[in-house]
Structures are given as C-alpha cells and as structure tokens.
Amino acid sequence: MRIRYLTMLLLLAALNLRPAITSISPVLENIRADLHIQGVTASLLVTLPVLCMGLFAPLALSWSQRWGLEKVITFSLLLIGGATLLRVFADSTLILMSSALLAGIGIGLIGPLLSGFIKQYFPKPAAMVSVYSVALVIGAALAAGLAVPLQQGLGSWQYSLAFWALLALVAGFSWLRLARSPQTVTTTTAVSLPLRQKKAWLLTVFFGLMAAIFYSLTTWLSPMMAHAGYSKIEAGYMMTLFTLIQIPISFLIPIGVSKFGKRAWWLVGCSVMEMIGLLTLRLPVSPWLAIAILGIGAGGLFPLALMLPIQEANNAGEANAWSAMTQSGGYTLGAIGPLIVGLLFDYSGNFVTAQWGLGVMIVLMVIVQCWIGNGAKAVTQQKPLIPATEQSS
C-alpha cells in the first residue's frame, strides 16, 4: 500500500506544477484588455514564474539538505496554492504579477526535489518519471482547456485563474502526513551543484532551449491562433490539443528510452517534430495538424529533460543537485523565450518573425542534443526507502 500512497503524492504534486502558468494563455487577451497592458508586459505573466523556477532551484537543494525534501515540497505546494488564490483579487497588474512571482517561487522549489523524491523512494525511476510527466501534462491541459469555460461560468478571468488554488491546497495538505513522519523524512547528504561537469552544462543548455520553446508556445499559441482569425474558444481548444496530445507521449517516451536506449535519437526526433509543426503553421493546411505535431515534440522533450539528470545521479542527493543545476540555468534561459516573442509581436504586429526565431532555437537545441549523446555514466542503483514487501503492493 505504501508505494501507492507515495505515487498518489507524486501525482498530486505534479498536477500543480503548470496550472498557474498554462491557465494564462487562453484568457490573455481578456487580461490585456482589462488591465490595459502591452504584449511584452503580458508575457511577464509566464516569464516571471519561469524565471523564478530557475532562480530558486538552487535554494531547493540547500533547503532540502536542512529540512528534508518532503517538508520543502509541502511548503512549496501551499505557497503555490496561496499565490494562485491571490488572483481572486487581481484587479491590478501589480497583484497579478505578484501572484505569478510567488507561484514561480513555489514551482522553482518543488521542481528539482521531485526528481530526488523519485530517485529516493522508487525502484524504477524511469517508470515514475513517466507518471510524473503525465500528471504534469494533465494538470497543464486541464488548466488550459478549462480556462475559458471557467471564465464564462464563474464570471471573470480572476476567478478562472484562482480556481486552481483548490488543487494546490489539497495537494499541500495531503503531503503534510509524509512531511511530519520521522520515519520517512529524508534529509539528503550535502551535495554541491555539478558546476565542473561538462555533461551538466550540456543538459542545462538543452533544458533552457527546450523551456524557451515550450513556454513561448504555452504563452502565445492561443494568441497566435486568435491573430490568425480563429475565435478565442477555438484558440483555447487548440491550446488544449497541444497539451492533451502530450499526455501519452510523456508517458511512452521515457519508457522507450529506458528500454531501447539511443536517447540522442529520441531527443533529436522530438525536436524535428517541433520544427515540422512550426513549418506546418506556415502552410495552407489545418492548424490542428500543426499543433498536434508541436504537441508530440514538446511532449517528448520535457520528460527526457527531467530524466537525464536522474540518469546521471547515484543517489537522491545527486539527483537533486543535477536537477537543481539543469532547472536553475534552464528555466532562467527559458524565461527569455516568451519575452522575446512578446517583443517581436509588439515590434512587427504579427507572429511570423517570432516563429522563425523559435525555429532557430530548435536548430541550436538539436546541436546540443548531439553533443549530449546516448551514454549516461554507469550508476549504482540506490536502495529505495520502500521495503521489499511493500514494493509489490
């Protein structure tokens, strides 16, 4: 039963890592109209939390070593819930930006620690990365797909955005039991960031390019479709397709890499799918096809970016350190993506230039993926904290 309980906690935590961000895009035009903000300012609603996800990832490493990763994860979930609830009162740009900042801090703290949690507690990390990724994408898809219906049903975009505080608070209080249990609380050994490891820097650059592309699409895909002549509801449904199609891909890709190896081929293949999707947006074909292809590429790259640091780690402490470095530098770099798209849109009045810029990022990402290669260092399987009698439960 214990492994089921821990899996449930992992699912609840992962579900809350994206709603504070993906719920923004479908109602972004309403936010811009009500608060009278330009595209570059609106892009900060995603840029700020993604930047915080980068800046606060190293803090997660030191806090977990001091208080235990379970307590820090619990605190982070409650912080995300409080920040999201603040959006009920978001009648000004300052309050809305503050909520984005606080939610980003919570997500930045919890992100690398879930990798250590998987490494510490589960005997098959690759399978749990798949579960983690699927839950994360489901949370993102629900928030994107329900943003407009919630706005219509609840009467405002503020209530639509704040709705997801319920999920975060439920998750935070569910984690309290594990955080308070002296038998399971894990204070990881002191491990520094792998700043002298070439592979760690390659993974960081890859994560950054992947995040810049992903969050640019997450922020601006719905406005792109609305600018192309589709209704806000249609644009919202397209965003939902982009996220929904990532669910099976996020589950299958890590398992495929674990079983068949050749991770560089999987990485490059997913990047090529993103490039094909971008090019298809410029062709006289259905945009639904282009968005489906984009979703396949994005859905494969993110779980791979999560899995690579775990493959390089010998234990939970190292997994936290490698994940903290890749996510710190990666999200900091990734935060620039939505901002650049917003600047290019304000300058040109269309998204053509921005789409070509995303294509250049994909080419650079493929080059880095080739340098990363197929091999991970041999790791010693750490004994998980789940007794053998409970692993089969």
Side-chain angles (χ1 to χ4, degrees):
M1 290 296 295
R2 182 164 178 78
I3 194 168
R4 295 177 184 174
Y5 168 65
L6 294 171
T7 302
M8 180 200 71
L9 292 182
L10 178 63
L11 288 170
L12 283 173
L15 282 170
N16 285 281
L17 295 187
R18 294 298 177 268
I21 299 174
T22 59
S23 60
I24 293 288
S25 180
V27 296
L28 188 58
E29 292 303 306
N30 298 99
I31 295 173
R32 290 181 61 197
D34 289 352
L35 300 183
H36 308 290
I37 55 179
Q38 293 184 324
V40 64
T41 305
S43 68
L44 290 174
L45 293 173
V46 172
T47 296
L48 272 178
V50 176
L51 183 61
C52 288
M53 287 157 65
L55 296 178
F56 286 87
L59 185 62
L61 180 63
S62 61
W63 280 16
S64 69
Q65 292 168 358
R66 183 173 182 179
W67 290 299
L69 61 86
E70 297 88 351
K71 288 183 178 179
V72 180
I73 291 173
T74 303
F75 167 78
S76 301
L77 288 168
L78 294 175
L79 179 59
I80 294 169
T84 309
L85 186 61
L86 182 63
R87 291 176 171 178
V88 169
F89 311 101
D91 56 357
S92 70
T93 304
L94 177 61
I95 295 176
L96 190 57
M97 292 297 175
S98 298
S99 74
L101 180 69
L102 292 173
I105 293 173
I107 299 169
L109 290 172
I110 196 174
L113 297 187
L114 287 180
S115 296
F117 179 77
I118 290 171
K119 187 75 173 180
Q120 185 73 47
Y121 282 98
F122 296 97
K124 296 180 180 180
M128 296 315 299
V129 168
S130 295
V131 173
Y132 169 23
S133 301
V134 168
L136 188 149
V137 173
I138 289 175
L142 287 173
L146 295 178
V148 174
L150 284 173
Q151 179 188 15
Q152 295 172 341
L154 299 177
S156 73
W157 55 263
Q158 287 93 339
Y159 281 100
S160 174
L161 297 180
F163 174 83
W164 302 103
L166 297 175
L167 183 61
L169 293 174
V170 167
F173 287 114
S174 298
W175 271 79
L176 278 175
R177 177 186 170 190
L178 184 66
R180 291 174 174 174
S181 173
Q183 288 80 19
T184 58
V185 172
T186 307
T187 303
T188 57
T189 56
V191 179
S192 59
L193 298 177
L195 297 174
R196 297 185 179 182
Q197 297 281 348
K198 177 183 176 182
K199 182 63 69 65
W201 284 104
L202 287 174
L203 297 186
T204 300
V205 174
F206 158 58
F207 199 107
L209 291 168
M210 180 276 301
I213 297 164
F214 178 81
Y215 287 107
S216 294
L217 293 172
T218 298
T219 308
W220 291 105
L221 190 57
S222 286
M224 280 183 190
M225 296 299 101
H227 197 264
Y230 296 91
S231 69
K232 292 179 181 178
I233 293 180
E234 287 178 312
Y237 286 153
M238 291 179 188
M239 184 65 193
T240 302
L241 173 63
F242 174 71
T243 50
L244 282 177
I245 203 167
Q246 295 175 42
I247 295 175
I249 301 300
S250 296
F251 181 77
L252 295 173
I253 291 292
I255 294 176
V257 174
S258 179
K259 184 174 182 178
F260 300 107
K262 301 291 184 182
R263 67 187 188 187
W265 291 96
W266 295 87
L267 288 165
V268 173
C270 291
S271 299
V272 169
M273 293 298 289
E274 281 195 327
M275 180 65 81
I276 293 173
L278 276 178
L279 293 175
T280 307
L281 280 176
R282 309 305 312 159
L283 298 176
V285 297
S286 171
W288 297 92
L289 174 62
I291 290 168
I293 297 172
L294 281 171
I296 292 172
L301 286 174
F302 186 77
L304 290 177
L306 293 176
M307 187 174 71
L308 293 180
I310 296 176
Q311 287 184 329
E312 300 294 332
N314 286 306
N315 52 55
E318 288 188 8
N320 285 340
W322 278 74
S323 297
M325 178 172 170
T326 57
Q327 293 185 30
S328 175
Y331 281 128
T332 302
L333 178 60
I336 301 173
L339 189 62
I340 291 176
V341 174
L343 285 169
L344 291 174
F345 174 72
D346 286 341
Y347 176 77
S348 64
N350 60 65
F351 289 102
V352 176
T353 305
Q355 289 169 354
W356 284 111
L358 291 174
V360 172
M361 290 186 198
I362 293 174
V363 172
L364 294 175
M365 183 167 60
V366 169
I367 294 173
V368 175
Q369 290 166 344
C370 291
W371 281 343
I372 290 174
N374 288 314
K377 73 179 184 181
V379 297
T380 303
Q381 177 65 47
Q382 180 180 349
K383 183 179 179 180
L385 292 185
I386 306 170
T389 56
E390 296 177 348
Q391 290 179 10
S392 59
S393 298

